Amino acid sequence: MEDDLDSAVRQASVRGALSRRGVLAAGGALALPGVLGAARPPRRRPRVLVATNEPWGTYHVRPLLPEATGRGWRLTQLVPDRSQIQPGETVPIATLDEAPEADLIVVTGAGEWPLECANRFRALPLAASSLAYLGPGQAPGARRLRNRLRLVTSQSPAEARSFRGYLGTNRRIMVTGSPQTDALPARAAEPGLVLVLTSVTHDDETGGAAPGTRLLLDAAANLQAAGKRILVGIHPREDRSLWDRYEISDVPSLQASARAEAAIGIPGTVFPLIAAVGTPLVGCTDPALTVPDYLLAVCSSTIDDATDAVAAIQDARPSPPDTLADAVGPIGGSTARLLDAWSRVASRKP
């Protein structure tokens, strides 16, 4: 299995990997009209249902929309109800009773909601795609998915290893890269600016909390006292009032990270992406926090005492290339690779 992952990394470099679609387009430009063979009837564009571990967490699906829309796909996220959907939400949503006809259902984890959705649509082919980090231990409900899975994808080799453990499987996992790295911002660091990356302070129906907020709040205060400018990248489900003494970024954390000399936060999904921008990272680790090793690997250092924050930021350095290749995966064309993989199983019957 590791050979598959190594091969995937060799075939797509950390900077600027060509997408499969781009290669096909280049090949098609050289072909003569009479050599292409008989015309085939057009295939129906895939109709895909997606269910995430965070039932209303549309932010994990949103980066897929531009590519899916450009292909004419119908991508629909399944939600329990519309109670936590914000006005102006761009991700198409549907409850189980409203769900349109589909060719494929994709789950991003084995939580209660994805399991319920997968069970409701047992007649559809099933894929599992990791779009956000999951705990390194096997999920209790994973066994209910394993025999049905036609495809498993992850964003990087390191994430694939973690996802394999989470699903409790030894099967091949396709590494596609992260859709969010398809348009990485250019780094333009402002001296003295530190990006603080929050997680989630309280459990709610959408998902659980991550320990470490008190440590991060104290670290931010120490950094400000030392003369650093603090810009806060808020997790979509975080309590904003905890951070209202600071400037809160009005753009996503990945985009904001390009401005920062360094970032500090509770390790999460965005950490490898920010490392790919070239921004050094410091992780705040709480004894109760359990995250995959690859999220810690992209950190220049980690702290468990807020008094260490100033020195850690001063000494922070970017992640080395080999660490990035493992934790981030191929960059460029990642959404296209993921949708290509989905399309290959969308028409198959279970």
Side-chain angles (χ1 to χ4, degrees):
M1 301 304 165
E2 299 304 324
D3 290 343
D4 293 328
L5 299 179
D6 293 340
S7 176
V9 175
R10 286 195 298 270
Q11 293 173 25
S13 64
V14 170
R15 290 285 178 186
L18 286 175
S19 70
R20 177 179 179 274
R21 187 175 58 170
V23 173
L24 291 176
L30 299 175
L32 297 176
V35 182
L36 296 179
R40 297 180 179 179
R43 293 182 60 186
R44 183 175 63 198
R45 292 181 174 91
R47 303 164 299 177
V48 181
L49 303 177
V50 181
T52 72
N53 267 8
E54 298 175 75
W56 292 271
T58 53
Y59 40 86
H60 294 313
V61 175
R62 198 172 297 127
L64 307 178
L65 285 187
E67 179 75 21
T69 301
R71 294 182 178 209
W73 285 34
R74 189 178 69 198
L75 199 62
T76 305
Q77 179 163 344
L78 297 171
V79 296
D81 55 51
R82 298 175 181 271
S83 63
Q84 298 189 47
I85 299 300
Q86 300 300 313
E89 176 58 68
T90 57
V91 176
I93 61 166
T95 65
L96 291 179
D97 292 334
E98 299 167 342
E101 290 187 6
D103 306 297
L104 174 69
I105 180 167
V106 177
V107 295
T108 67
E112 291 182 9
W113 179 243
L115 290 173
E116 181 178 345
C117 295
N119 187 62
R120 173 69 73 93
F121 298 99
R122 295 195 65 82
L124 292 178
L126 177 67
S129 291
S130 179
L131 297 178
Y133 98 84
L134 297 161
Q138 181 174 327
R143 59 182 177 79
R144 294 163 55 186
L145 299 174
R146 285 195 293 261
N147 290 339
R148 281 187 59 197
L149 289 172
R150 297 294 182 267
L151 171 74
V152 183
T153 73
S154 280
Q155 299 173 121
S156 72
E159 188 180 85
R161 294 193 297 272
S162 182
F163 200 33
R164 183 176 288 125
Y166 174 88
L167 292 175
T169 181
N170 290 319
R171 67 178 295 159
R172 177 180 181 271
I173 294 181
M174 178 180 293
V175 174
T176 62
S178 169
Q180 294 188 69
T181 63
D182 286 347
L184 283 176
R187 183 156 161 75
E190 301 173 15
L193 181 66
V194 176
L195 178 66
V196 172
L197 300 163
T198 76
S199 188
V200 183
T201 308
H202 302 290
D203 289 341
D204 63 22
E205 291 179 305
T206 294
T213 297
R214 182 72 265 165
L215 172 61
L216 186 58
L217 282 164
D218 292 344
N222 288 343
L223 288 163
Q224 186 180 59
K228 300 295 185 182
R229 293 184 296 136
I230 303 298
L231 178 65
V232 181
I234 290 282
H235 187 283
R237 294 193 292 110
E238 175 62 309
D239 179 0
R240 293 174 67 94
S241 67
L242 293 174
W243 302 94
D244 56 13
R245 65 178 289 190
Y246 304 111
E247 179 187 356
I248 295 178
S249 176
D250 57 2
V251 299
S253 296
L254 179 59
Q255 185 176 343
S257 71
R259 295 176 49 202
E261 71 172 10
I264 184 170
I266 300 168
T269 302
V270 76
F271 265 49
L273 310 181
I274 288 175
V277 173
T279 302
L281 287 153
V282 172
C284 289
T285 56
D286 186 281
L289 183 68
T290 302
V291 298
D293 289 342
Y294 72 91
L295 296 184
L296 302 177
V298 297
C299 296
S300 177
S301 65
T302 61
I303 63 170
D304 57 13
D305 187 323
T307 60
D308 296 330
V310 175
I313 287 293
Q314 291 289 88
D315 295 339
R317 298 293 181 269
S319 297
D322 57 340
T323 300
L324 288 177
D326 190 45
V328 180
I331 292 176
S334 297
T335 310
R337 280 190 291 274
L338 178 61
L339 297 191
D340 284 347
W342 286 359
S343 69
R344 287 192 288 271
V345 296
S347 59
R348 299 178 190 173
K349 301 299 182 184

